[in-house]
Amino acid sequence: MKKISLLLMASGIVLFSSCKKWLDVQPNSQVKESELFKTESGFKEALAGTYTILTEDALYGKELTYGMMGVLSHEWASFPAAYVDDGNYNYTVTATQARIDGIWSSMYKALSNANNILENIEAHSVFSGDNYKIIKGEALALRAFIHFDLLRCFGASYTVNASQPAIPYVTEYTAKQTAQLSVGAVTEKILADLLAAKELLKVDPVFTGRVVSEQNDNGYLMNRQLHLNYYAVEGLLARLYLYMGNYEQARISAQAVVNSGKFSFSTQANLIGGIDLCGAPEHLFALQITNLSQSAVNYLSQEGSGVFSLNQGMLLSYYENTIDYRYLYWFVAGENASANSSYLVKYTETDNDDSYYKNKLSVLKIAEMYYILAECDNNDHVSTLSHLNPVRKARGVEQLTIEPVDFRSYMTAEYRREFIGEGQLFYYYKRLNRSVIPESDKDLVALKAYIFPLPVSEMQAADRASNR
């Protein structure tokens, strides 16, 4: 427990390729924490390693985006046979249970790394410039972000039953058992960590406007969208407050992100040219996954085996307006025997050598902030057009002149269009506690489908209360 695998250190180098000097390694391929945290570069590597865990296939590299989450929300017309039980919410079947257990174990592994950083950061005066505040702020934000998505997987919906037992909120780097907390108690701890992170990250260049180049600390504070930066934390606060039903605070946080002017929509020219299919300038927070384009070939294209795809009928049901840029540029039609299939190309290799557009997977983006603002205003019976139309304009769709007749149906359709392959649709349905969702004949509430069962080993070894 008191060591960090160098595999994570090495893979973390990808995220911080501008850093030229790395710790020497011991012959047994592990670095003791006493050595790791002797230098600022050690803290940077540990932080990079934490982000790298999140890119694994068990997490955002596949299952928490287009894989398991896509199947649970019935985004796909076709998916690998191994996911059939996922789509029927049979969580005790071996393959499905293994995916759920993989999410649990990998997320807590990432939390262990974040907590190790936080436990050591006060004891070492090795930081230059603003790096102490930024590294600590990111580690706190990571801890909150990871627990939040664990809660969205393994906890009851906050507005349904905030007192239901949920998950442990781990704040120590230790092998000791951590007490299981209720949904409400976990939420309060997430909020506290995000607020603390936000305060620390007020020195973040993305917030202050300070220009950073390769000459500044080897460019360490460049590419802030690949880190939980100040505005990513503000966006997470907006997402959390909406999850809690706190519309006033959700509006404040979402508006702060929109008003910052730091995030713009991908242009039609870049979409046509295949330069920016992932929407890089839209990302508040994204993960750069080195094998993302190859995974897109393997799992999201006609060339792959075990592929997630739509058919033409389902694609047209998503995008009623065929001038929608998302319809025109995010999908390609299959050929020959697969002519009726449509394949998502958000994550394919770009036709541009600029690394800014390569291998990026959105975790939090500007469109969600506009949707949160629309939900908040709709809740207060205020016009939503000023929030819905910027996204419509960015997607090449005509502007609305009157409010949607059925706001909830409109938002559901938009979430299906906008977040396909990004893993957010299932959480949207869960927040609303929807019994019936499009493309499924199951009653998700009756099946308790919105709450993953805790791993059997966790129930047995830690004597947890049922979270369902």
Side-chain angles (χ1 to χ4, degrees):
M1 287 295 295
K2 289 294 184 180
K3 296 182 180 180
I4 294 181
S5 170
L6 258 198
L7 175 61
L8 298 179
M9 298 302 112
S11 55
I13 292 173
V14 175
L15 296 181
F16 297 101
S17 57
S18 63
C19 296
K20 308 299 183 185
K21 186 176 180 180
W22 305 96
L23 291 177
D24 293 329
V25 304
Q26 293 185 339
N28 66 358
S29 297
Q30 291 195 333
V31 175
K32 294 180 179 178
E33 70 174 64
S34 59
E35 289 185 35
L36 180 69
F37 296 122
K38 281 182 178 178
T39 65
E40 182 178 82
S41 65
F43 280 93
K44 292 175 181 177
E45 290 180 23
L47 190 64
T50 310
Y51 284 111
T52 300
I53 295 171
L54 301 182
T55 71
E56 295 175 357
D57 279 1
L59 300 180
Y60 302 92
K62 183 183 179 186
E63 303 303 355
L64 288 179
T65 48
Y66 60 84
M68 185 179 187
M69 284 300 172
V71 174
L72 293 176
S73 55
H74 287 264
E75 289 183 331
W76 308 117
S78 179
F79 48 83
Y83 289 80
V84 169
D85 286 302
D86 301 45
N88 289 322
Y89 311 106
N90 295 327
Y91 293 152
T92 58
V93 174
T94 300
T96 306
Q97 188 176 55
R99 272 186 281 277
I100 292 171
D101 290 358
I103 292 167
W104 178 274
S105 61
S106 294
M107 290 289 245
Y108 277 106
K109 179 171 66 175
L111 283 169
S112 181
N113 272 25
N115 282 327
N116 198 20
I117 294 167
L118 290 167
E119 282 199 8
N120 281 277
I121 200 164
E122 303 300 338
H124 297 82
S125 301
V126 296
F127 299 97
S128 59
D130 295 323
N131 287 345
Y132 161 79
K133 287 186 176 181
I134 288 177
I135 291 172
K136 183 177 180 180
E138 285 188 45
L140 283 168
L142 276 164
R143 187 165 76 187
F145 165 74
I146 294 166
H147 277 111
F148 188 19
D149 273 5
L150 278 167
L151 185 63
R152 294 201 292 176
C153 289
F154 293 92
S157 180
Y158 182 92
T159 56
V160 172
N161 188 358
S163 63
Q164 178 75 17
I167 62 172
Y169 198 94
V170 181
T171 59
E172 296 181 356
Y173 183 62
T174 177
K176 295 187 301 182
Q177 288 185 15
T178 303
Q180 183 182 16
L181 300 179
S182 69
V183 171
V186 172
T187 303
E188 290 303 316
K189 287 185 175 293
I190 295 168
L191 179 59
D193 273 349
L194 286 177
L195 291 173
K198 178 181 171 181
E199 187 64 28
L200 286 163
L201 289 169
K202 285 181 177 178
V203 298
D204 194 332
V206 76
F207 179 68
T208 65
R210 176 164 65 92
V211 176
V212 179
S213 70
E214 287 283 349
Q215 284 68 49
N216 305 119
D217 191 15
N218 292 318
Y220 180 66
L221 295 181
M222 297 172 67
N223 304 319
R224 294 298 296 158
Q225 289 165 290
L226 295 176
H227 303 251
L228 280 169
N229 60 76
Y230 177 90
Y231 286 111
V233 171
E234 192 78 270
L236 285 173
L237 281 165
R239 181 185 280 179
L240 179 67
Y241 284 129
L242 185 68
Y243 162 84
M244 297 169 67
N246 187 337
Y247 297 104
E248 180 180 358
Q249 289 299 323
R251 181 188 288 110
I252 290 170
S253 288
Q255 195 68 64
V257 176
V258 169
N259 289 348
S260 74
K262 303 287 186 179
F263 308 94
S264 58
F265 288 98
S266 183
T267 65
Q268 185 184 21
N270 280 350
L271 289 165
I272 292 173
I275 294 170
D276 183 27
L277 295 172
C278 72
E282 306 178 16
H283 300 159
L284 278 62
F285 173 49
L287 292 169
Q288 192 156 46
I289 303 176
T290 55
N291 65 340
L292 182 62
S293 59
Q294 185 57 54
S295 292
V297 172
N298 295 342
Y299 303 118
L300 295 169
S301 76
Q302 185 174 340
E303 290 73 31
S305 59
V307 169
F308 304 85
S309 66
L310 298 177
N311 56 41
Q312 286 294 321
M314 196 169 177
L315 181 63
L316 286 169
S317 74
Y318 274 34
Y319 302 97
E320 298 168 352
N321 195 326
T322 55
I323 65 170
D324 193 316
Y325 294 165
R326 296 167 293 194
Y327 173 87
L328 291 172
Y329 307 120
W330 282 0
F331 297 91
V332 297
E335 299 177 350
N336 303 321
S338 299
N340 189 46
S341 296
S342 295
Y343 300 96
L344 184 69
V345 294
K346 272 184 183 179
Y347 306 132
T348 58
E349 187 67 61
T350 69
D351 295 329
N352 189 298
D353 291 332
D354 189 340
S355 62
Y356 179 70
Y357 301 105
K358 286 182 175 291
N359 292 317
K360 279 185 155 181
L361 187 145
S362 172
V363 180
L364 184 64
K365 63 184 185 181
I366 191 64
E368 185 177 347
M369 298 300 104
Y370 283 105
Y371 292 156
I372 289 173
L373 288 170
E375 288 213 36
C376 292
D377 279 357
N378 181 70
N379 180 72
D380 289 343
H381 307 291
V382 178
S383 174
T384 64
L385 296 185
S386 64
H387 309 308
L388 299 178
N389 278 332
V391 183
R392 292 179 67 87
K393 181 180 179 181
R395 302 313 184 207
V397 183
E398 68 274 8
Q399 306 290 280
L400 296 173
T401 56
I402 60 173
E403 296 290 316
V405 175
D406 184 339
F407 176 81
R408 182 50 60 199
S409 293
Y410 177 87
M411 287 306 303
T412 299
E414 268 302 282
Y415 265 75
R416 294 179 79 202
R417 287 188 278 262
E418 182 66 30
F419 296 106
I420 187 165
E422 297 182 21
Q424 295 304 317
L425 187 58
F426 183 72
Y427 299 137
Y428 169 82
Y429 292 143
K430 177 173 182 171
R431 176 167 58 83
L432 300 174
N433 203 37
R434 296 286 292 268
S435 295
V436 179
I437 66 173
E439 311 299 334
S440 174
D441 60 357
K442 306 295 184 183
D443 185 332
L444 277 72
V445 173
L447 291 172
K448 299 183 180 180
Y450 290 123
I451 310 172
F452 295 171
L454 298 179
V456 173
S457 59
E458 184 73 15
M459 294 294 290
Q460 293 174 343
D463 194 27
R464 304 297 189 193
S466 173
N467 63 319
R468 307 180 81 208

